[in-house]
Amino acid sequence: MRGVLAKRAFRVVLIKPSHYDQDGYVIQWLRSTLPSNSLASVYGLIEECARDRVLGPDVDIEIDACDECNTIVDVPAVSKRIRAAGGGMVGLIGVQSNQYPRALDLGRQFRALGIPVVMGGFHVSGCIAMLPKLPPDLQEAVDLGIHLFAGEAEGRMAEVLRDVAAGNARPIYNHLNDMPEMAAAVFPILPREVVTRVAGHYSSFDAGRGCPFQCSFCTIINVQGRKSRYRTADDVEAIVRANAARDITRFFVTDDNFARNRNWEPILDRLIELREQHGFNIKLMLQVDTLCHRIPGFIEKAARAGCTAVFIGLENINPESLMGTKKRQNKIWEYRDMLLAWRRHKVVTYAGYILGFPTDTPESIARDIEIIKKELPIDILEFFYLTPLPGSEDHKKLYLSGVPMDPDMNKYDLEHACTAHPRMSKEAWDKVYNDAWTRYYTDEHVERIMRRALASGIRPKKILDLLTIFAGSVGIEGVHPLQFGFFRRKVRTQRRYGMPVRNPLIFYPWRVADLLKVAAQWLLLVRRYRRIMARVTADPAASAHCDEALRPHVAVGETDDFVKVFADKIPHTHGAPVQAAVG
Ligand code: B12
Ligand code: SF4
C-alpha cells in the first residue's frame, strides 16, 4: 500500500547463561530461587529501543528473554526463530566469571549457525577494567566473532543494535570510563512469564550502583565505581507500579549495599507510602552492611517498606582477616546489636561468611563457627571460599605477580579453591568448606535457630523452609544455595564443550538413580526438620526462649565473649572502642 512501509522484524534473544556442575552439565532447575537483575535490566533497555524504533520506523524489535537457571536453551530452535524473523541477535547477559565457559559454549554454537552474538557482564567488564591486556579467554570470544560489551549499557544499547543490524558491530564496546547516571534511567523489567519461573515470583531492581568501601576481594567498585549513583523515589515507584500491573510485588533489591545508597530514605518513604496508603503488598529482600543499624531510622523504615530478609556482608569475625582485605568497616563488637535490631522487626538475617583468609586455619574456622552459633543471632549462615574474582584487586595483584590461579573460570563460583592458601593445603581448605556447612547446620543448632525465630516472631514455616534449603543444598544437590532451585534438570546433550555426550543407555539409568538418591535424601531431611519444628512449636516455653545470642547488651561498654577472644587484634582495627581491647 502506498505510504505504508513494509514491516520488518529484528529478533533479540536475551539469555542469562548458567554454569556447569562438576560432571559438565548445566546447573538448571524447573524453578530457580533468585531472579536475574542483569536480565531484567537489559530487557528494559531493549524494550526502550523497541519503543523508540531505533532500527527505523519499519523495523519491529521483538524480544525473548530467559534465565538458563530455569529454562533450557535450544540453540537450533532459537537460531531458527531469529532467521524466521529476518534477522536479529543473541545477547548473553550478565555473564559472571563462573558463567563465562558456559556463555562461550553457547556463543560458539550460535556463531557456528551464523547468528550475531553480543556478550556483557562482570567477567568482561572486570577483566577489561583491571588487566593490562585482554586475557586469552576473552580473546577466544573475539576470535569466534562474539562482540564484547564492557561497562553499563544504559543509553548505549541503540548503538549496539544498529551496528549489529548493519553487520558492522565492533569487536569490543568499552564504556567503563563513562558510567551512566541512574536517576530517570530506564528500569529493569521482565514479562510475567519470565518472572514466574522464579519460585515465589520474585522480581528485582537495583535502586543504586557503586559502593564507597574498598574490600580487596570485591569486583563491584572497579566496575561500577565507588560513587553512589541512585534511582529516584519516582523511579522506584514506577518500577513497583509496572510490576504490580503484572501482579508482581516481591523484589530482590540488588544494590550491593542498600544502606550506602545515598537516596535510601526517600526511596523507603515512597515504598512505605505505597504499602500503607495505597495497599501495595510489597515484600523486599535487601543487601546491607554491618553498620546499617547506626543509620538513624534505616532498619525501622526498611521493615515498614516491606523488608522481610536481609543479606549482610559479615564475611568474618576475626578483625585481622577483615583488616587484611580492607574490610575495615566491619566492627565485630557491633555485630550482635546490628542483628538484634533486624530481629526486633521480624526480619530474617542471612550472613555471608568467607573461608580462607590468610590467617585462617581449620582450627580457627571451627572455633569461629562455634562462637557464631553461640553468640550471634544469625538465622542463615552461608559459606564462601575467598576467591580472587576477575575484576578485584586481589585478582589483579596475583595476576601481575604471576601467582598461579586456576585457569578454569567455571570454578570462580566461590565454591572452589582457585589459588593456593598460605596455611592450608587445597584438600584441607576443601574439607574446611564442606565441614563448615555441617558444623553450622547441626540438628542442635537448627533447633536453636527455630527457637530464636519463634521468640522473635518470625514465621515458623519460613524459617523451616530456609533451613531445609540451606542445610541440604550443598550436601544433597552439590550446589551453593545461591544457585539452588527446585527439581534439577540435566540435558544429556548439553554437556560442557570438550566433554563427551554420554550414550543414552548409560546416561538415563545414571540419571534415574541420581534422581532417586537425591529425592530420598531430601525426604529424610524434610521429615527430620519438620519433626524438630513440631517439637519447638509444641513447647509452651518456646516464645519466651532466650540465650546468649538474643541477650541485648545492657551495660555501657559491655561486650560479647567472642570479642574478648580477638581482643589483641582489635586495637589495630579502625574505630575500635577502648573497652573492647582491654575487656
Ligand atoms: C544480583 C546479583 C546476583 C543474583 C542474580 C544474578 C544477576 N546477575 O542478576 C544472584 C543471587 C543469583 C547472584 C548469584 C551469584 N553471584 Co552475583 N551478583 C549480583 C549483583 C549484586 C547485582 C547484579 C546486577 O543486577 N547488577 C546490575 C546490572 C545492571 O549490572 P550488570 O550485570 O553488569 O549488567 C550491565 C552491564 O554489564 C551490561 N550488560 C550485561 N549483560 C549485557 C549483555 C549485552 C548484550 C549488553 C550489550 C550489555 C550487557 O548492561 C547491564 C546494564 O547496565 C552483582 C554485583 C553488582 N553490583 O552488579 C553480583 C555479582 C555479579 N555476583 C557475583 C558472584 C561471584 C555471584 C556468585 C558466583 C556467588 C555469590 N556469592 O554471589 C553467585 C552465583 C550465580 C550463579 N552461578 O548462578 C560477582 C561476579 C564477579 C565475577 N567476576 O564473576 C558480583 C559482581 C559480585 C561480587 N562478589 O563481586 N548474584
Ligand atoms: S562492602 Fe560489599 S560492595 Fe562494598 S566494597 Fe565491600 S564487598 Fe564490595
Side-chain angles (χ1 to χ4, degrees):
M1 214 197 310
R2 186 178 280 225
V4 178
L5 288 169
K7 290 270 184 205
R8 289 184 290 132
F10 184 84
R11 180 168 287 270
V12 181
V13 180
L14 305 178
I15 302 169
K16 165 78 184 7
S18 180
H19 86 144
Y20 293 112
D21 67 16
Q22 57 189 13
D23 296 319
Y25 292 101
V26 180
I27 299 178
Q28 51 193 179
W29 314 86
L30 194 61
R31 290 287 174 272
S32 56
T33 47
L34 286 161
S36 171
N37 187 53
S38 309
L39 186 64
S41 302
V42 176
Y43 190 94
L45 295 173
I46 305 278
E47 215 180 39
E48 179 195 37
C49 293
R51 268 194 314 270
D52 294 350
R53 298 206 157 266
V54 300
L55 297 182
D58 56 331
V59 184
D60 288 333
I61 297 175
E62 299 169 350
I63 324 167
D64 290 337
C66 75
D67 181 346
E68 211 191 10
C69 295
N70 55 37
T71 309
I72 290 165
V73 175
D74 181 341
V75 174
V78 170
S79 308
K80 214 168 136 188
R81 273 211 310 281
I82 291 176
R83 275 196 295 268
M89 62 170 253
V90 164
L92 297 172
I93 311 303
V95 177
Q96 301 175 4
S97 300
N98 71 90
Q99 296 153 350
Y100 187 77
R102 173 61 185 159
L104 195 61
D105 286 356
L106 284 169
R108 185 182 286 114
Q109 293 171 48
F110 282 114
R111 291 302 300 135
L113 295 170
I115 303 293
V117 178
V118 187
M119 186 195 301
F122 257 76
H123 187 62
V124 173
S125 295
C127 289
I128 294 181
M130 294 299 270
L131 303 181
K133 61 179 190 349
L134 212 58
D137 60 350
L138 291 190
Q139 187 57 51
E140 191 181 347
V142 173
D143 294 344
L144 285 167
I146 296 171
H147 309 282
L148 303 180
F149 186 97
E152 297 173 28
E154 283 73 8
R156 286 89 192 234
M157 201 54 99
E159 181 196 17
V160 175
L161 294 190
R162 282 193 199 110
D163 290 356
V164 173
N168 60 11
R170 301 205 295 270
I172 301 177
Y173 291 81
N174 184 349
H175 291 288
L176 281 161
N177 289 329
D178 177 20
M179 288 173 208
E181 267 315 312
M182 298 220 49
V186 172
F187 57 73
I189 190 83
L190 280 171
R192 184 176 159 81
E193 62 274 18
V194 180
V195 178
T196 51
R197 301 196 69 84
V198 177
H201 301 181
Y202 268 89
S203 192
S204 64
F205 63 88
D206 42 354
R209 295 183 192 155
C211 175
F213 297 127
Q214 292 186 69
C215 311
S216 65
F217 53 81
C218 179
T219 64
I220 294 150
I221 40 181
N222 304 316
V223 172
Q224 299 182 334
R226 292 182 53 209
K227 179 174 167 263
S228 169
R229 291 172 290 136
Y230 43 82
R231 298 189 195 274
T232 63
D234 287 347
D235 297 339
V236 171
E237 176 170 347
I239 294 175
V240 170
R241 286 187 182 276
N243 278 282
R246 297 162 195 213
D247 199 17
I248 290 155
T249 51
R250 295 175 181 188
F251 302 97
F252 174 19
V253 182
T254 62
D255 294 39
D256 304 283
N257 192 345
F258 184 68
R260 301 300 140 188
N261 182 317
R262 298 248 308 275
N263 214 28
W264 69 264
E265 195 158 24
I267 291 174
L268 291 183
D269 284 342
R270 187 65 62 84
L271 292 171
I272 291 170
E273 189 186 319
L274 287 172
R275 264 171 74 87
E276 296 180 357
Q277 290 170 32
H278 302 280
F280 285 83
N281 186 19
I282 302 165
K283 296 255 185 317
L284 302 177
M285 289 197 279
L286 299 176
Q287 308 197 99
V288 296
D289 62 50
T290 54
L291 290 181
C292 60
H293 63 300
R294 285 198 193 170
I295 306 173
F298 178 76
I299 293 183
E300 293 73 10
K301 287 197 172 183
R304 275 180 68 199
C307 175
T308 55
V310 276
F311 293 89
I312 303 163
L314 198 78
E315 323 303 14
N316 206 279
I317 58 170
N318 184 338
E320 214 168 38
S321 307
L322 295 165
M323 282 292 283
T325 55
K326 299 195 194 158
K327 195 129 198 160
R328 300 185 183 93
Q329 68 273 24
N330 278 21
K331 319 285 183 212
I332 64 166
W333 54 92
E334 295 198 22
Y335 282 1
R336 191 193 290 177
D337 291 340
M338 179 269 300
L339 292 161
L340 287 176
W342 284 110
R343 292 189 87 82
R344 276 196 287 281
H345 294 278
K346 305 184 181 29
V347 175
V348 173
T349 53
Y350 297 66
Y353 204 78
I354 299 178
L355 307 171
F357 285 105
T359 48
D360 282 346
T361 62
E363 297 72 33
S364 71
I365 289 173
R367 176 201 63 197
D368 295 352
I369 295 173
E370 292 307 328
I371 289 176
I372 293 175
K373 285 160 65 176
K374 186 165 160 268
E375 299 196 31
L376 292 178
I378 294 165
D379 295 309
I380 302 295
L381 192 61
E382 43 183 339
F383 301 96
F384 302 99
Y385 283 82
L386 182 66
T387 306
L389 285 170
S392 66
E393 183 188 322
D394 286 351
H395 179 266
K396 183 179 181 176
K397 273 194 187 145
L398 298 180
Y399 179 94
L400 293 179
S401 49
V403 174
M405 288 181 278
D406 201 311
D408 181 5
M409 285 300 135
N410 198 63
K411 293 194 182 139
Y412 285 67
D413 54 2
L414 317 194
E415 296 170 56
H416 292 88
C418 294
T419 188
H421 187 274
R423 301 173 81 171
M424 293 188 279
S425 65
K426 185 180 172 309
E427 293 67 34
W429 199 358
D430 288 343
K431 187 167 174 342
V432 157
Y433 176 78
N434 288 315
D435 287 355
W437 292 96
T438 41
R439 185 175 283 282
Y440 186 76
Y441 293 97
T442 58
D443 285 2
E444 188 199 2
H445 192 57
V446 161
E447 177 163 345
R448 195 178 295 133
I449 296 170
M450 290 177 181
R451 287 186 182 277
R452 287 177 186 164
L454 251 69
S456 307
I458 294 168
R459 256 188 330 115
K461 166 93 171 65
K462 180 167 184 172
I463 203 74
L464 174 64
D465 289 350
L466 288 175
L467 285 167
T468 311
I469 291 172
F470 277 77
S473 192
V474 173
I476 299 176
E477 299 283 2
V479 297
H480 194 279
L482 276 185
Q483 294 191 59
F484 178 76
F486 295 100
F487 193 75
R488 177 69 204 272
R489 300 164 97 180
K490 294 183 191 176
V491 180
R492 184 179 70 87
T493 48
Q494 295 201 350
R495 211 161 178 214
R496 189 169 180 179
Y497 184 67
M499 290 178 100
V501 172
R502 284 179 176 152
N503 183 308
L505 295 175
I506 296 174
F507 177 83
Y508 290 108
W510 167 75
R511 188 67 191 116
V512 171
D514 188 26
L515 274 174
L516 291 176
K517 185 173 136 222
V518 166
Q521 286 176 306
W522 277 118
L523 209 68
L524 288 175
L525 185 71
V526 168
R527 275 182 35 190
R528 206 166 79 231
Y529 280 15
R530 283 200 176 162
R531 275 202 211 112
I532 301 177
M533 184 51 101
R535 190 163 64 234
V536 172
T537 45
D539 180 356
S543 57
H545 171 85
C546 189
D547 58 28
E548 181 57 22
L550 288 186
R551 199 177 57 79
H553 295 137
V554 278
V556 178
E558 188 193 356
T559 186
D560 306 322
D561 286 345
F562 86 91
V563 174
K564 292 173 194 151
V565 174
F566 298 112
D568 59 327
K569 319 263 175 10
I570 287 175
H572 307 296
T573 307
H574 173 73
V578 178
Q579 327 65 305
V582 293

